[in-house]
Amino acid sequence: MTDETNINSVYQDDDFLTQKELAERLNKSVRTIQNWRHQGLLPFKRMGNSIFFHWVKVKNALSGG
């Protein structure tokens, strides 16, 4: 498997991410992700006590879509 294949598999559009994973992907702090979520800038799903972000919806929200 090439490095390019590994990179593509990491950034699947159907990924659900935790706050920490999203922060790492966007190169932001977890606190920034929390602030953006509280401000209504990021769509999220609550599953039990956990919060998840759908990567496609986050990309759309951040691009103004």
Side-chain angles (χ1 to χ4, degrees), residues 26-62:
L26 295 176
N27 198 29
K28 301 291 180 189
S29 69
V30 171
R31 187 65 190 153
T32 296
I33 300 303
Q34 291 170 341
N35 288 338
W36 288 356
R37 180 173 55 87
H38 289 292
Q39 293 169 14
L41 300 175
L42 295 176
F44 66 95
K45 287 278 188 192
R46 187 177 302 273
M47 295 179 202
N49 291 332
S50 300
I51 294 171
F52 294 95
F53 300 87
H54 190 248
W55 179 235
V56 170
K57 291 181 181 180
V58 169
K59 286 193 310 185
N60 289 337
L62 294 177

Side-chain angles (χ1 to χ4, degrees), residues 1-12:
M1 192 178 300
T2 66
D3 287 338
E4 184 176 315
T5 303
N6 288 335
I7 290 169
N8 289 337
S9 66
V10 170
Y11 288 82
Q12 295 296 316

